[in-house]
Amino acid sequence: MDIAKNLADSLNEVLLNGQWVTGTNFKNEIVDLDWQIATLKIHELNSIADLTFHINYYLVGVLNVLNGGELTIRDKYSFDYEPITSQREWELLITQFCNNSTRFITAVKKLSNKELEKNFVKKEYGNYLRNLTVMSEHCYYHLGQIILIKKLIKQRDF
């Protein structure tokens, strides 16, 4: 069994090209949004732009580790970004998200089963397999939020 390929397929499903689990994917839900909708705050929920930045932040941070670098990201900074004030800025974030998703999926696909069993940065973080599985789950969690936020916006229920 090619575990890395299965993980990569799962990540591709949620991030860029899938419809199997939720009927949609992250890219599909954000690519055609107007920046004003993407940045709209409903009650105290994160905006769609917030969630897109957040997932992209983790993609970049974990990708750095997959490429042999250090884990430099911190949860407390995962929503810290300059406010988006134009369609151009929003489209730049979408492009970064899609490019980083592609790079991430490609890097995951290249891992061997032996590498997946190794500790991810520190022993207490578990192994690569656990962390990459959680990354997929984390993406689905926030994709679900985006879907609900879009429904609230469509219904103007805020």
Side-chain angles (χ1 to χ4, degrees):
M1 173 187 252
D2 190 345
I3 297 169
K5 183 186 179 311
N6 287 336
L7 280 169
D9 289 349
S10 176
L11 289 159
N12 185 49
E13 179 85 22
V14 67
L15 293 169
L16 298 174
N17 294 309
Q19 295 189 353
W20 184 44
V21 174
T22 59
T24 189
N25 59 69
F26 230 100
K27 178 183 175 185
N28 188 58
E29 292 302 316
I30 64 173
V31 73
D32 292 332
L33 281 183
D34 176 83
W35 74 276
Q36 292 172 314
I37 296 294
T39 58
L40 185 63
K41 287 285 203 182
I42 298 175
H43 305 293
E44 294 184 21
L45 300 176
N46 289 310
S47 71
I48 294 168
D50 294 339
L51 297 170
T52 303
F53 175 85
H54 177 73
I55 291 298
N56 189 58
Y57 179 84
Y58 281 99
L59 289 170
V60 170
V62 175
L63 182 58
N64 190 51
V65 174
L66 295 177
N67 289 330
E70 301 285 321
L71 182 65
T72 59
I73 58 173
R74 300 293 177 261
D75 293 345
K76 66 181 178 179
Y77 302 124
S78 67
F79 286 100
D80 292 353
Y81 69 104
E82 291 296 316
I84 292 172
T85 60
S86 70
Q87 186 67 25
R88 187 173 151 272
E89 291 173 356
W90 170 236
E91 289 171 3
L92 179 61
L93 178 58
I94 293 170
T95 299
Q96 291 169 344
F97 173 86
C98 291
N99 290 341
N100 290 326
S101 293
T102 299
R103 287 184 195 105
F104 191 85
I105 292 162
T106 300
V108 169
K109 195 178 288 187
K110 292 178 183 177
L111 295 170
S112 69
N113 286 352
K114 188 170 184 161
E115 289 169 312
L116 289 169
E117 293 172 6
K118 289 183 179 178
N119 289 335
F120 183 84
V121 183
K122 296 178 182 179
K123 185 177 180 179
E124 60 263 26
Y125 293 169
N127 63 23
Y128 276 75
L129 177 59
R130 178 178 184 270
N131 279 270
L132 295 171
T133 301
V134 167
M135 185 69 167
S136 179
E137 293 167 353
H138 185 213
C139 292
Y140 272 112
Y141 172 74
H142 289 306
L143 173 58
Q145 290 178 322
I146 288 173
I147 293 166
L148 290 173
I149 290 167
K150 287 179 74 174
K151 285 181 179 182
L152 289 172
I153 291 169
K154 190 174 185 175
Q155 295 172 355
R156 301 281 184 213
D157 192 16
F158 55 93

